[in-house]
Amino acid sequence: MATKRIFVVFVLPVIFSIVFGSTVMFDILQKPDRELNLWPISSSEGFSNHDNNENKIEIIGLSPQYSVSQSVEIQVKVNDPSFDCGDLYITIHSSGKNEIITQGGFFTQCFDSRNSLIPVGDEFSTIIETPGSYRITADVISKDLVNTSTSGTFTVK
């Protein structure tokens, strides 16, 4: 009798949780356009998103076309004086499938008005070996958790 109660109270809920969780994860993974939003952006949480066309940042050095053996090297110029320190994230996506090809993270990028190109003391450089069309995105998140981003497109032949 006691083993039946232990099974119903402890083991059965674990089994149901595993089955339910697996079903939910399977359903989520079947949606190819699903995006994982780790930082919900809302004014109630103190975050703000500057994803408008004010050109607060821009990608410098991006060519419209690269060869397969040529490296993609860029820097990001910050035009907003409120950004003096922050983290820079650069991501290259394939344009057709929107899958991530490569990412780079440059943390604690501090600069002044004379040197507004980032990454400071480092570089973003990658070689893409598959011909096609690509989209590159640069995101800067300030120490005050203010986010701004820009993107550009290029092709590899």
Side-chain angles (χ1 to χ4, degrees), residues 77-95:
K77 182 176 182 179
V78 179
N79 298 320
D80 186 357
S82 68
F83 285 97
D84 59 352
C85 275
D87 297 335
L88 169 66
Y89 301 96
I90 299 173
T91 308
I92 296 179
H93 303 271
S94 65
S95 287

Side-chain angles (χ1 to χ4, degrees), residues 8-22:
V8 170
V9 173
F10 294 107
V11 178
L12 199 57
V14 170
I15 293 171
F16 283 143
S17 296
I18 291 172
V19 170
F20 180 74
S22 298

Side-chain angles (χ1 to χ4, degrees), residues 14-134:
V14 170
I15 293 171
F16 283 143
S17 296
I18 291 172
V19 170
F20 180 74
S22 298
T23 305
V24 169
M25 289 301 289
F26 178 78
D27 183 50
I28 288 173
L29 292 174
Q30 295 304 312
K31 298 175 183 173
D33 293 329
R34 180 138 175 102
E35 224 177 89
L36 183 60
N37 189 2
L38 294 178
W39 285 24
I41 307 299
S42 70
S43 59
S44 64
E45 293 178 340
F47 299 108
S48 64
N49 188 8
H50 296 285
D51 225 2
N52 49 23
N53 294 329
E54 293 181 25
N55 292 333
K56 294 187 178 202
I57 64 171
E58 60 183 292
I59 298 173
I60 304 295
L62 182 65
S63 297
Q65 184 173 325
Y66 293 91
S67 66
V68 173
S69 61
Q70 189 178 7
S71 66
V72 178
E73 296 178 4
I74 64 140
Q75 289 185 307
V76 175
K77 182 176 182 179
V78 179
N79 298 320
D80 186 357
S82 68
F83 285 97
D84 59 352
C85 275
D87 297 335
L88 169 66
Y89 301 96
I90 299 173
T91 308
I92 296 179
H93 303 271
S94 65
S95 287
K97 299 177 185 172
N98 202 23
E99 65 184 43
I100 295 175
I101 304 301
T102 187
Q103 288 182 310
F106 304 91
F107 305 109
T108 316
Q109 295 292 303
C110 293
F111 49 90
D112 56 19
S113 60
R114 294 170 303 188
N115 185 16
S116 61
L117 293 178
I118 51 177
V120 176
D122 207 347
E123 66 179 28
F124 177 81
S125 177
T126 187
I127 295 176
I128 299 176
E129 298 175 347
T130 307
S133 180
Y134 296 91

